[in-house]
Amino acid sequence: MNTVETKVDNGVNTEALIGARGAFSQMPEAASFVFRSTCDWVSGTESSNTINGYFGLGEEQIRKETFVVNADHPEVFAAADTAPTPPELVLSALGSCLTGGVAAVAQHRGIQLRKVQAIIEGEIDVRGILGMDPDIRNGFNAIRVRFEIDADASESDIRALVAQSQKRSAVFDLLTNPTNVFVDVA
Amino acid sequence: MRHISTVIIGAGQAGLAMSKCLSDRSVTHVVIERGEIAHAWISERWDSLRLLTPNWQSRLPGYAYSGDAPDGFMTMPQIADYLRGYAACCAAPVEERTTVTSVTSQGFGYRVETTQGAWQCDNVVLATGACAQAQIPQLANNLPPGVTSMTPMSYKSPAQLDPGGVLVVGASASGTQIAAELRAVGHEVTLAVGSHLRAPRSYRGRDIQWWLDRSGVLDACLDPLDDIDRIRRLPSMQLVGDATLAALDLNTLRARGVQIVGRIAGIREGYAQFSGALANHCALSDLKLNRLLESFDAWAESQTLSGLKPPHRLEPTEVGRDPVLRLRLDDGHIRTVIWATGYRPDFHWLDLPVFNAKGGLDHTFGVVGPGLYVLGMPAQQRRKSAFIDGVGADAEVLANHLIHNRASRVA
């Protein structure tokens, strides 16, 4: 396996990530993070999520900027189509998580990337969410990701990057394993 | 109370190898064994199991296989005979049917309490092995009533099982072998697969262990720069001691009618849930295998070897378009779950502050503390540390350390 070479630059600070591993092994409690998102109804199926503060490294963290992510439904569902659907945001979250992972792993393995594109498709039978057939699930039946990567590496090294990225991805884990979800009303 | 320089706990290959190394250095010692020599091999393995390594690869300090089938694979009674032969040949001072109940520090040494009295000693060697208990995930507690839970340590043969479906959890050597055996007698078998290491029995006409041994993979010492924890957690290769079978991999099992599913992720509302990451686990395993075979080819290229067949690669692991994500456990269809989810050591009798936050024994290449050593842990010094063939080299190093340490303690 290649070691970190200075000439490879994918814009990832691997040294900082390796440093964080060292720090968290000394102080595992600092590795407990809580991420948050606040969702406000706008109108119809449109809603707006604001994301800023999170808990990590033992304290509340505030960002310089508050991010806004909106969601809506398309016109074929008689909605205003002002923003992507929530399931599409899930696909984009998976794409971003895997793509960021590819960059981080490539940097660590000394592989220079030139282009990375992932096309993510989720197959869904909408009769599920319409409650038409109890045997049809609401969510995606399957998600398929196709990466196109241009990099200074062999095909098998590129395949290994993509495999390792999945192995260490939060969103990939969330989608492939069950998660307890607790919903309450204040 | 009796006094002695060194107490070795466990009379398997590790304890016997250490005994031989200490005898060679004139260190007085005793080997304490709860049952008889090779106890775990005889009583804690399933009936059809053969060693995953060929007979020639059971080399121990001052001892080697001398039979007429160097490429064969020993059954459990055979490996027990082999180790009894070793003990006799080295005149190992083994006290059988003696169980250690506690090890505590006393003075500059240790006090070892046993069911046959206590020993006071300068050194203790923990040689009870890395596979003293089956490791079962917490979620096993959610199994519905009516489903029998077993492990590769309690499983002996298909005769133990009720008719009906079986879920085997874990696809390393134990899980794949047991899945194949149960499928062969007609059970419907589902195999839950997480991280695994695929390996053919032979490559280019030579046993995989020949390649691993000769090319130096097994001899490789651990580099402090390696991710040692990761190496120590590596699962065993999907191997079976049967030269007539090309590979006991997922493709073979699928072709025999075993249903392949992802890693078990939960048991709730009567269903086992499986991870959707099966395709990636298979891709990772195929990539690793191909890298290994490439390294064999590169090594072979650098040697003058004759009679090797040309390089080839295995077919990619077939995952299927839509692997099953859940399996009903509470309708009587699945009668047995076998947790082939790994093994761990058992040091519950070791009353010393030598454990880490996760309960594992902390050691540096086998040195646990002053005069306290462990042998036979996965990759404790080299890749082959936990193999019969690997424990001898570690024992030599630790025996030298013990002598040196004893000299410096006296000085």
Side-chain angles (χ1 to χ4, degrees):
Chain A
M1 197 155 297
N2 295 322
T3 51
V4 178
E5 291 168 34
T6 46
K7 63 175 191 250
V8 170
D9 183 8
N10 297 319
V12 178
N13 187 344
T14 344
E15 287 80 0
L17 293 176
I18 292 167
R21 263 186 77 141
F24 290 145
S25 72
Q26 298 300 312
M27 236 199 326
E29 57 281 4
S32 289
F33 279 58
V34 178
F35 288 112
R36 296 184 199 105
S37 182
T38 303
C39 186
D40 286 295
W41 176 57
V42 177
S43 169
T45 51
E46 187 186 356
S47 60
S48 179
N49 302 282
T50 45
I51 300 166
N52 188 319
Y54 62 92
F55 181 87
L57 307 178
E59 58 185 348
E60 273 307 307
Q61 306 282 344
I62 303 292
R63 291 176 162 107
K64 291 194 291 283
E65 187 183 343
T66 297
F67 300 108
V68 179
V69 181
N70 283 13
D72 199 354
H73 281 175
E75 286 175 0
V76 295
F77 294 145
D81 208 4
T82 58
T85 61
E88 286 168 313
L89 294 175
V90 171
L91 297 181
S92 61
L94 177 63
S96 291
C97 203
L98 293 178
T99 301
V102 164
V105 177
Q107 184 73 38
H108 187 55
R109 295 185 176 178
I111 295 172
Q112 180 65 54
L113 299 172
R114 282 186 292 272
K115 183 199 165 186
V116 180
Q117 186 179 63
I119 296 171
I120 305 101
E121 286 184 348
E123 297 161 13
I124 190 165
D125 184 336
V126 297
R127 286 178 296 172
I129 50 177
L130 294 172
M132 293 167 61
D133 185 341
D135 292 334
I136 297 173
R137 69 183 284 186
N138 298 343
F140 294 120
N141 291 315
I143 296 174
R144 302 187 199 280
V145 183
R146 199 177 71 244
F147 266 100
E148 205 173 295
I149 296 178
D150 181 14
D152 291 329
S154 68
E155 194 209 320
S156 64
D157 284 346
I158 288 173
R159 287 189 182 277
L161 279 185
V162 173
Q164 185 64 21
S165 165
Q166 291 167 74
K167 196 174 163 186
R168 292 272 78 91
S169 162
V171 179
F172 182 84
D173 173 60
L174 281 168
L175 290 172
T176 54
N177 292 305
T179 306
N180 282 317
V181 179
F182 304 99
V183 179
D184 199 0
V185 176
Chain B
M1 188 169 57
R2 292 168 287 181
H3 293 252
I4 199 161
S5 166
T6 300
V7 172
I8 298 170
I9 304 172
Q13 62 272 13
L16 296 174
M18 192 65 181
S19 170
K20 165 70 171 150
C21 292
L22 293 182
S23 293
D24 288 348
R25 290 160 179 78
S26 305
V27 176
T28 59
H29 65 276
V30 63
V31 186
I32 311 279
E33 168 56 53
R34 67 188 154 144
E36 50 190 294
I37 289 166
H39 176 83
W41 289 117
I42 306 165
S43 49
E44 294 175 353
R45 301 291 181 271
W46 61 97
D47 296 349
S48 67
L49 177 65
R50 288 172 177 265
L51 293 188
L52 308 183
T53 49
N55 292 338
W56 59 264
Q57 204 182 18
S58 291
R59 295 164 294 200
L60 287 160
Y63 197 64
Y65 178 81
S66 58
D68 52 10
D71 298 320
F73 299 90
M74 289 184 213
T75 62
M76 295 303 100
Q78 286 169 339
I79 181 63
D81 278 348
Y82 182 80
L83 292 177
R84 276 193 286 267
Y86 185 39
C89 152
C90 308
V94 181
E95 301 220 340
E96 293 183 310
R97 283 166 284 282
T98 303
T99 301
V100 170
T101 53
S102 75
V103 176
T104 50
S105 44
Q106 181 154 310
F108 291 107
Y110 299 96
R111 181 187 171 94
V112 179
E113 290 284 350
T114 81
T115 49
Q116 310 293 327
W119 292 89
Q120 171 69 34
C121 59
D122 299 328
N123 307 291
V124 172
V125 180
L126 311 170
T128 48
C131 303
Q133 8 177 16
Q135 187 161 279
I136 303 176
Q138 199 104 57
L139 55 83
N141 296 332
N142 302 341
L143 264 190
V147 179
T148 304
S149 211
M150 300 177 88
T151 71
M153 295 180 89
S154 60
Y155 172 80
K156 298 294 165 200
S157 77
Q160 277 169 297
L161 271 72
D162 294 326
V166 183
L167 169 62
V168 179
V169 183
S172 293
S174 303
T176 51
Q177 286 190 31
I178 293 170
E181 177 163 286
L182 293 174
R183 180 67 199 138
V185 297
H187 288 275
E188 274 184 31
V189 178
T190 298
L191 179 65
V193 180
S195 291
H196 61 278
L197 292 178
R198 185 186 189 193
R201 182 69 262 177
S202 64
Y203 179 61
R204 300 181 65 180
R206 297 284 193 158
D207 193 89
I208 186 92
Q209 295 292 354
W210 179 89
W211 287 97
L212 290 165
D213 180 69
R214 291 286 296 275
S215 71
V217 172
L218 292 175
D219 284 322
C221 287
L222 292 188
D223 184 326
L225 294 176
D226 289 340
D227 187 345
I228 292 176
D229 285 341
R230 188 189 63 81
I231 293 169
R232 289 179 177 162
R233 283 196 306 264
L234 283 176
S236 66
M237 286 180 161
Q238 291 173 332
L239 285 176
V240 57
D242 178 356
T244 64
L245 190 62
L248 190 60
D249 59 14
L250 301 181
N251 285 354
T252 310
L253 291 167
R254 179 188 296 276
R256 292 181 182 184
V258 173
Q259 171 169 253
I260 309 293
V261 299
R263 193 179 64 86
I264 194 161
I267 297 176
R268 55 203 285 178
E269 290 161 15
Y271 283 88
Q273 301 169 305
F274 306 112
S275 166
L278 176 64
N280 193 46
H281 280 132
C282 294
L284 281 163
S285 182
D286 285 355
L287 284 161
K288 271 183 209 156
L289 173 61
N290 286 340
R291 279 200 297 273
L292 183 68
L293 298 182
E294 276 163 29
S295 77
F296 290 165
D297 292 337
W299 169 78
E301 193 84 3
S302 70
Q303 309 289 308
T304 44
L305 299 164
S306 59
L308 285 183
K309 292 180 184 163
H312 70 276
R313 296 288 173 266
L314 275 67
E315 287 294 309
T317 301
E318 178 63 41
V319 178
R321 193 161 163 86
D322 287 304
V324 164
L325 291 170
R326 56 182 209 161
L327 182 68
R328 189 151 185 192
L329 296 177
D330 62 354
D331 65 355
H333 188 74
I334 297 287
R335 302 291 298 275
T336 312
V337 174
I338 297 180
W339 301 99
T341 37
Y343 305 88
R344 56 191 161 119
D346 181 4
F347 297 120
H348 71 271
W349 34 265
L350 190 57
D351 296 328
L352 295 165
V354 290
F355 298 99
N356 59 35
K358 292 184 79 176
L361 184 73
D362 271 333
H363 66 89
T364 307
F365 303 119
V367 180
V368 181
L372 184 60
Y373 302 94
V374 66
L375 261 176
M377 292 295 112
Q380 71 173 47
Q381 289 180 24
R382 289 155 239 267
R383 293 288 184 135
K384 64 179 180 182
S385 287
F387 291 10
I388 293 169
D389 200 60
V391 78
D394 287 5
E396 300 274 6
V397 171
L398 294 185
N400 287 339
H401 185 284
L402 186 150
I403 296 270
H404 179 79
N405 184 50
R406 181 177 63 172
S408 59
R409 276 207 259 175
V410 170

